[in-house]
Amino acid sequence: MVVPPEFIPYLGSHVCKPNCSQNLVTDNVEVMEGDVAVISCRVKNNDDSVIQLLNPNRQTIYFRDVRPLKDARFQLVNFSDNELRVSLSNVSLSDEGRYVCQLYTDPPQEAYADITVLIPPGNPIIESREGQVIEGNETEMTCTAMGSKPAATIRWMKGDKELQGISKVEETYDHMFTVTSQLRFIVTKEDDGMPVVCIVDHPAVKDFQALTYLVVHYKPEVKIIVEFPDGLPREGQNMELSCQAKGKPHPQQINWVKVDDDLPSHALITGPDLYIENLNKTYNGTYRCFAANSVGESYDDYILYVYDSRAGEGAPRAVDHAVIGGVVAVVVFAMLCLLIILGRYFARHKGTYFTHEAKGADDAADADTAIINAEGGHNNSDEKKEYYI
């Protein structure tokens, strides 16, 4: 420690006994290169002891409120019995190190403030092994963040999904760091146009990233659409089939064939469309549309079955007859049940009639009277009456 002679009168004999309540504290500082760093030396319950601030070479920057060091970048922010606060402007990497807050007691007290200079990386750079990739293949990308302190970390995002890369850190001659992250993954056709983002995390910067978009080539996806007729194809009608093909690059050629046979002689192919006039049953079969690009070839099939001209009417009638037949069956069954119930009812009441007739014979005084009663004779007005239903 170097103390200029003119400051010696300020150095009293302040003894800090074991129960001394003075407490010297400070804080570490992180600052971006070119910004301002502030160092604060604070004392609790100071008893007029002298506070001074030393640089990493233990040269006095401030002694109380006086700056002996001839560096105008250091400026006094606050001085009191309890604090010495100093700012350092235009911080450079050479300013990094351990600064000492010193309190003149016996023995002296010291507290240390480490200044860390943060240097953000340069703009991240994304490079791809190939400009375009075929679906199902592996692609490789690298992202580089150069010239930072401390070393940055790199993350990858594909759409809204985070991917894991492999990072390598290199320290340069000037104690700076370059970080390179490598990412590999298998692509699908759904990845075409998907954003891939390299995100650089560093204490000196936020939301530092680079962006690229995937270009994925894939073979065509083919689908046959029936433009007309609506419903079942019938004899005598015209038909148009459209072959819709999507791929990257766009399919260069689209072809129509009939599987295991030739196309009808008067079938007309216009671009992706197949047009057939005056359908008949000889046209039945499988019609196939091929689409191809530089990646590969795909196809879709349409099975044609031509119904006769009444096919569209016959089917609904068949359904109606079935419904009517079902209703008739239910009605017949209900009538049979009703007849059975009525038959049992009449049989029961007829049995009652015979019982009454026999009862009349039982009530006769003799055989002659019984015969008369059985034949339906009426001897007096009190005889039982018979009812027929």
Side-chain angles (χ1 to χ4, degrees):
M1 177 184 64
V2 179
V3 180
E6 61 269 26
F7 298 130
I8 292 177
Y10 292 104
L11 303 180
S13 178
H14 298 282
V15 179
C16 187
K17 297 180 181 179
N19 61 352
C20 176
S21 60
Q22 295 184 96
N23 186 19
L24 180 63
V25 295
T26 187
D27 303 300
N28 294 330
V29 179
E30 286 188 345
V31 58
M32 285 185 59
E33 186 178 34
D35 282 358
V36 177
V38 177
I39 304 172
S40 175
C41 302
R42 301 180 300 278
V43 182
K44 181 180 179 182
N45 301 324
N46 192 3
D47 59 356
D48 295 329
S49 296
V50 175
I51 307 172
Q52 73 169 348
L53 177 64
L54 311 177
N55 67 12
N57 296 323
R58 299 194 69 90
Q59 296 171 323
T60 302
I61 300 172
Y62 266 91
F63 184 89
R64 295 176 61 91
D65 57 350
V66 179
R67 175 169 56 85
L69 192 67
K70 305 302 181 182
D71 188 342
R73 295 181 304 144
F74 290 98
Q75 294 294 322
L76 184 66
V77 177
N78 181 56
F79 172 73
S80 67
D81 290 339
N82 297 316
E83 183 185 36
L84 172 61
R85 191 189 316 165
V86 176
S87 67
L88 171 61
S89 61
N90 194 22
V91 175
S92 67
L93 192 59
S94 62
D95 295 319
E96 193 172 65
R98 172 164 289 186
Y99 290 73
V100 183
C101 294
Q102 193 173 72
L103 182 66
Y104 274 97
T105 58
D106 188 12
Q109 295 185 49
E110 291 186 352
Y112 306 100
D114 291 327
I115 290 185
T116 301
V117 179
L118 305 178
I119 301 177
N123 292 330
I125 301 172
I126 289 184
E127 295 177 325
S128 181
R129 185 173 59 188
E130 59 274 303
Q132 57 201 30
V133 59
I134 297 175
E135 65 170 330
N137 289 352
E138 181 183 71
T139 188
E140 179 181 311
M141 296 182 176
T142 59
C143 180
T144 304
M146 301 177 62
S148 69
K149 184 180 176 301
T153 58
I154 295 178
R155 296 181 292 121
W156 292 91
M157 296 291 293
K158 186 185 75 169
D160 57 357
K161 181 180 180 182
E162 184 166 353
L163 302 180
Q164 188 66 43
I166 300 175
S167 294
K168 181 176 67 173
V169 180
E170 296 179 351
E171 184 175 0
T172 59
Y173 69 93
D174 53 356
H175 305 294
M176 308 285 274
F177 296 91
T178 294
V179 181
T180 302
S181 179
Q182 185 180 71
L183 177 68
R184 292 180 178 178
F185 60 95
I186 303 296
V187 300
T188 65
K189 60 178 177 292
E190 289 77 17
D191 290 329
D192 184 46
M194 185 76 69
V196 177
V197 184
C198 162
I199 304 172
V200 177
D201 294 322
H202 189 272
V205 291
K206 293 182 178 179
D207 299 325
F208 210 31
Q209 55 186 242
L211 171 70
T212 188
Y213 291 92
L214 289 171
V215 179
V216 181
H217 284 193
Y218 54 93
K219 65 182 182 180
E221 299 173 313
V222 184
K223 184 177 182 182
I224 296 176
I225 302 297
V226 180
E227 299 293 346
F228 59 81
D230 294 330
L232 299 175
R234 309 175 193 172
E235 287 184 311
Q237 289 183 327
N238 299 330
M239 168 171 278
E240 182 176 337
L241 303 178
S242 179
C243 182
Q244 298 183 355
K246 176 186 176 182
K248 191 166 187 176
H250 189 75
Q252 295 97 350
Q253 55 182 353
I254 295 178
N255 296 322
W256 283 95
V257 297
K258 186 178 180 184
V259 178
D260 298 329
D261 202 353
D262 295 330
L263 287 172
S265 57
H266 58 281
L268 178 63
I269 298 176
T270 304
D273 300 330
L274 174 65
Y275 181 76
I276 305 175
E277 292 183 337
N278 194 21
L279 293 175
N280 62 66
K281 293 183 180 294
T282 63
Y283 298 161
N284 289 348
T286 301
Y287 291 79
R288 178 169 293 174
C289 169
F290 286 96
N293 62 11
S294 59
V295 179
E297 183 180 72
S298 301
Y299 67 86
D300 190 25
D301 288 342
Y302 173 78
I303 299 176
L304 173 62
Y305 183 84
V306 179
Y307 294 82
D308 60 41
S309 58
R310 308 175 85 180
E313 301 173 358
R317 289 179 181 175
V319 174
D320 292 343
H321 291 163
V323 173
I324 293 172
V327 173
V328 170
V330 172
V331 171
V332 170
F333 178 75
M335 292 180 65
L336 288 175
C337 292
L338 181 61
L339 289 174
I340 292 171
I341 293 172
L342 289 175
R344 291 175 62 105
Y345 179 79
F346 285 130
R348 188 184 305 115
H349 281 272
K350 186 174 182 181
T352 303
Y353 164 73
F354 288 128
T355 301
H356 286 188
E357 187 178 69
K359 186 177 179 182
D362 293 339
D363 293 339
D366 52 35
D368 294 333
T369 304
I371 293 172
I372 293 172
N373 290 342
E375 294 176 350
H378 303 280
N379 292 331
N380 55 64
S381 61
D382 295 333
E383 291 178 340
K384 294 182 179 179
K385 297 181 181 180
E386 295 177 352
Y387 298 89
Y388 295 87
I389 298 176

